[in-house]
Amino acid sequence: MNMNRRAMLVRTAALAGASALGFPMIGRAAGASYTYGGSAWLGHYSAYIAMKTGLFAKQGLDIKWQSFATSSDRMSAVMAGNIDLAGTGVVSSLALMAAGARQFQVIATPNNFGRAEGVLVRDNVKSVADLKGKKIGVTYASSAHVLLLDVLRQAGLNPDRDVSIINLPATNLLSAYQGAQIDAAVAWTPAFDRIKAVPGTRVLLDDTAFSLYKEYAITPGPDVLLTHAKLGKDNPEAVRKFLQAVFQANAMLSNQPEEAAGVLLELTGLSREEQLAVIKQTQWYSGEDQKALMVDPGNFVNGMQKLAEMLVSLKQIDRAPTVKDWVQSSYL
C-alpha cells in the first residue's frame, strides 16, 4: 500500500522533462493571455476573485481560468507548459522538487486554512484510535492524505494494517460516505463542508492537529502560488502584477468577506452561509506578510522543508529537496 501511495504522489515527476518534448507554451507577447490552473478549493479564491472583479485586468493582465480536479493533475499541466500560473497544495510540488524538476518556481503562499480540512467521522468515533478497522476515504497525493498518515502515526496506528485507506477523488467522497462505502472521510472544502452537514457526522480533527502546525503554523499541504519558470524569466513583471492583484483580492477576503462570498458562489456551489464561514475561518496573507513567510525569517519556507522531511519518513517521497532552491521571492 505504501508503494501505491508513493506512485500516486510522484506520478507527475515523470513529466519533469515534458517541456523539452515540444509542448507549446502559451503566447508571451505583451498583452497576451496567461492561463491559471485552479479549482473550487479555497487556495484559488484569490485568483478567482481577481479574475471576476477585474483586478487582473486593472494590472493589464488577461488571465484565463482552467480547472483541475487535483494538485497532481495541475502540476502535470505546469510541467507540460500548458498553464502559466497556478495555485497548488505543496505536496505535489515537493514530489517534483524531489525529482529535480526545475520548470516552476514557488512565488508566494496565499493563506492559512487550518480549519477547512479534516477527518470527518460518524458520531460513534470518539478518537483516532477508534478508526482501527475502519474504511477511510481520502484522495491520494493530497494534503488530506498526509494529514491522515500523520495522525494515524501519532495514534500508533499502522496505515497498512490497522485501517483500510480507500483512494477516492475529492468529488466522490460525499457519495461514498453517504452510501456507507466508507466509514470516515478526510477532505477539504467544499467537500469537507458538505460531508460535515450529513446528519450524524462530526469533525474528529482538523489541520491544527497536524504535527508541524503548532511550531510552524503549516498545514499538511499548504497552498502555494507558482509560475512556470519560463514566464518568470521572459516576463517577470507579469508575475509581479499577478501577485499584486492576488493580494488585493486577499484584502477583499479579509475586509469584505460578504462581498467576496458573493463572487465565489458560482465557483464553489456552497451556500452563502457556508461560503462566508470558510472565508472567515481562513487567514488571508497580505503582500506585507510574504516577507516574513518567504524571505526573512522565512518561517513558511522552513516549514515546507520540515514537511518535505516528514514526507520522506512517511514513505511518500524518496528524498527531501532543498525547498528554498525553488522559492523565488523577487516578484514580491
Side-chain angles (χ1 to χ4, degrees):
M1 210 166 166
N2 275 336
M3 290 304 295
N4 289 337
R5 288 200 298 266
R6 186 183 302 175
M8 287 296 298
L9 183 62
V10 303
R11 68 183 181 85
T12 54
L15 290 169
S19 66
L21 300 179
F23 291 95
M25 290 297 289
I26 295 167
R28 291 292 178 267
S33 295
Y34 298 101
T35 302
Y36 174 89
S39 75
W41 165 244
L42 66 83
H44 308 285
Y45 285 5
S46 311
Y48 188 82
I49 287 173
M51 181 181 67
K52 288 294 186 178
T53 63
L55 292 172
F56 284 140
K58 289 177 182 177
Q59 294 288 341
L61 297 176
D62 180 15
I63 302 291
K64 307 298 185 185
W65 182 275
Q66 186 171 347
S67 290
F68 296 86
T70 68
S71 288
S72 296
D73 290 340
R74 194 174 305 110
M75 290 306 297
S76 294
V78 171
M79 298 304 297
N82 293 332
I83 56 177
D84 308 293
L85 298 151
T88 188
V90 79
V91 173
S92 56
S93 61
L94 287 172
L96 286 165
M97 291 178 195
R102 290 288 182 174
Q103 285 90 335
F104 65 92
Q105 299 168 341
V106 177
I107 56 176
T109 178
N111 59 59
N112 183 324
F113 59 82
R115 297 195 181 279
E117 174 179 71
V119 180
L120 299 145
V121 297
R122 318 283 180 184
D123 279 340
N124 63 334
V125 176
K126 305 301 182 185
S127 68
V128 176
D130 291 341
L131 290 173
K132 188 170 184 178
K134 298 286 196 295
K135 292 180 290 185
I136 307 169
V138 69
T139 304
Y140 280 10
S142 71
S143 56
H145 188 196
V146 175
L147 173 64
L148 176 60
L149 295 177
D150 177 59
V151 297
L152 288 174
R153 182 166 67 175
Q154 289 184 52
L157 295 180
N158 186 307
D160 297 321
R161 295 193 301 267
D162 294 329
V163 297
S164 296
I165 300 177
I166 312 299
N167 179 31
L168 292 169
T171 50
N172 293 358
L173 285 168
L174 174 60
S175 59
Y177 183 81
Q178 289 176 317
Q181 296 170 331
I182 53 176
D183 304 304
V186 193
W188 57 87
T189 191
F192 176 78
D193 300 272
R194 292 169 180 156
I195 297 169
K196 184 169 63 174
V198 174
T201 299
R202 68 188 189 87
V203 179
L204 179 63
L205 56 88
D206 58 29
D207 280 349
T208 60
F210 183 58
S211 294
L212 299 178
Y213 190 87
K214 188 169 291 185
E215 184 174 357
Y216 296 98
I218 196 166
T219 59
D223 290 321
V224 292
L225 296 173
L226 309 174
T227 181
H228 195 284
K230 181 171 172 53
L231 175 58
K233 178 181 178 182
D234 292 349
N235 195 349
E237 188 60 23
V239 182
R240 291 189 189 97
K241 289 179 176 179
F242 167 79
L243 286 178
Q244 288 171 18
V246 163
F247 297 140
Q248 288 169 358
N250 274 4
M252 178 187 289
L253 286 157
S254 295
N255 303 321
Q256 301 167 276
E258 291 83 2
E259 182 178 347
V263 177
L264 292 166
L265 296 180
E266 183 180 357
L267 173 69
T268 65
L270 295 174
S271 70
R272 184 175 290 272
E273 182 180 5
E274 290 170 332
Q275 187 64 80
L276 194 57
V278 172
I279 292 171
K280 288 184 174 181
Q281 71 189 9
T282 304
Q283 180 181 2
W284 303 99
Y285 292 134
S286 68
E288 290 72 25
D289 292 330
Q290 298 298 315
K291 181 179 179 182
L293 292 163
M294 306 296 288
V295 186
D296 183 16
N299 288 341
F300 182 78
V301 178
N302 292 336
M304 282 196 292
Q305 186 65 50
K306 293 295 184 183
L307 178 58
E309 293 163 7
M310 174 183 283
L311 291 176
V312 175
S313 72
L314 292 172
K315 298 182 173 62
Q316 298 300 293
I317 58 178
D318 292 323
R319 68 180 186 88
T322 304
V323 175
K324 65 181 178 62
D325 291 347
W326 276 263
V327 174
Q328 180 52 262
S329 59
S330 63
Y331 309 115
L332 296 172

